[in-house]
Amino acid sequence: MTKDQIFEFFRRLAEDNPEPETELEYGNAYQLVVAVALSAQATDVGVNKATRALFAKVKTPQQMLELGEEGLKEHIKTIGLFNSKAKNVILLSKLLVDEYGGEVPDTREDLVRLPGVGRKTANVVLNCWFKQETFAVDTHILRVGNRTGLAKGKTPEQVEAKLEKRVPQPFRLHAHHWLILHGRYICKARTPECWRCPVADLCSYRKKVIEKPKR
């Protein structure tokens, strides 16, 4: 894509959805960290179902420690890998209490120190809560970046680096949300719905599905 095409690509996505947000439900920075950590290899819908009752009780790292690992498991047992995720959430909560006064840090370097928090999770927290211009590359963004020609790369890190260079203002803050939602609902893995895509003419994907499949 050329610079002009990239600008137009995001302009159209922004026109359709001016203020995109994560579909995860949370009430504060700590709950966001927990929700994103739980969302690995799970759907946002599934995480939200599990965390509604949990977050009604637990709003701080200290409250999570008081709930305990077994108590946490009872809340999140419907989520994949819940045993290891529960262990990590308790460990990250302890680290927040012990070293950060119970507050979520606002740098990637500090966030990735937390057990169960990788670069993608850190980027989501920095973007959604601290309003930093980060690009959290998940499977949806990896697919959209490569299919469209916006940001090609074999790894999330490569795609993130391309997005960092290529996404212009005023779209940088919300870019990763637009791309995730686009990949989740239109540029789907098996059958991309190109017939209703607002940026299909800008996309370099050769196997476009221009007509809606008949059922």
Side-chain angles (χ1 to χ4, degrees):
M1 281 192 194
T2 66
K3 286 185 178 180
D4 287 346
Q5 286 175 322
I6 291 172
F7 190 94
E8 179 63 13
F9 180 94
F10 283 109
R11 188 199 67 75
R12 293 183 196 175
L13 295 183
E15 187 175 52
D16 279 358
N17 186 2
E19 294 291 332
E21 295 180 346
T22 178
E23 293 182 320
L24 289 171
E25 298 172 3
Y26 61 95
N28 59 33
Y30 171 68
Q31 290 181 342
L32 176 60
V33 171
V34 172
V36 180
L38 294 177
S39 72
Q41 297 179 306
T43 66
D44 288 358
V45 171
V47 172
N48 290 339
K49 285 182 179 178
T51 57
R52 281 179 195 133
L54 173 66
F55 288 165
K57 293 181 179 179
V58 175
K59 296 176 173 59
T60 67
Q62 184 59 47
Q63 288 174 340
M64 187 68 79
L65 294 177
E66 291 166 4
L67 177 66
E69 189 172 332
E70 293 305 313
L72 174 57
K73 285 180 184 179
E74 282 301 307
H75 282 280
I76 66 170
K77 59 187 178 183
T78 56
I79 301 174
L81 306 175
F82 73 92
N83 283 313
S84 59
K85 288 177 180 179
K87 182 177 181 180
N88 280 334
V89 168
I90 294 299
L91 289 173
L92 75 82
S93 300
K94 188 172 190 310
L95 188 61
L96 287 174
V97 169
D98 291 347
E99 297 191 26
Y100 295 95
E103 298 295 324
V104 175
D106 62 357
T107 69
R108 185 183 292 116
E109 292 73 21
D110 283 326
L111 284 168
V112 296
R113 289 188 63 217
L114 303 175
V117 175
R119 185 179 181 89
K120 186 189 79 172
T121 298
N123 281 344
V124 172
V125 174
L126 292 172
N127 182 268
C128 294
W129 189 260
F130 295 106
K131 305 304 178 188
Q132 295 184 25
E133 295 172 356
T134 60
F135 303 93
V137 178
D138 67 352
T139 55
H140 296 301
I141 294 184
L142 191 68
R143 179 174 66 254
V144 172
N146 279 285
R147 264 189 189 164
T148 61
L150 171 67
K152 291 187 175 183
K154 293 182 179 180
T155 66
E157 291 77 17
Q158 289 174 351
V159 171
E160 181 184 344
K162 290 276 183 67
L163 291 172
E164 191 70 56
K165 288 182 179 179
R166 305 193 79 185
V167 178
Q169 293 292 7
F171 308 115
R172 292 177 66 83
L173 180 62
H174 294 316
H176 98 266
H177 286 306
W178 285 315
L179 294 174
I180 287 172
L181 295 172
H182 191 66
R184 187 173 288 169
Y185 296 112
I186 296 178
C187 195
K188 298 176 182 179
R190 292 187 179 178
T191 307
E193 299 181 2
C194 309
W195 66 86
R196 67 183 189 92
C197 175
V199 292
D201 60 309
L202 302 172
C203 168
S204 63
Y205 189 48
R206 293 180 180 178
K207 300 178 182 178
K208 288 190 177 78
V209 184
I210 301 300
E211 293 186 11
K212 185 176 182 180
K214 295 178 181 179
R215 304 228 171 164

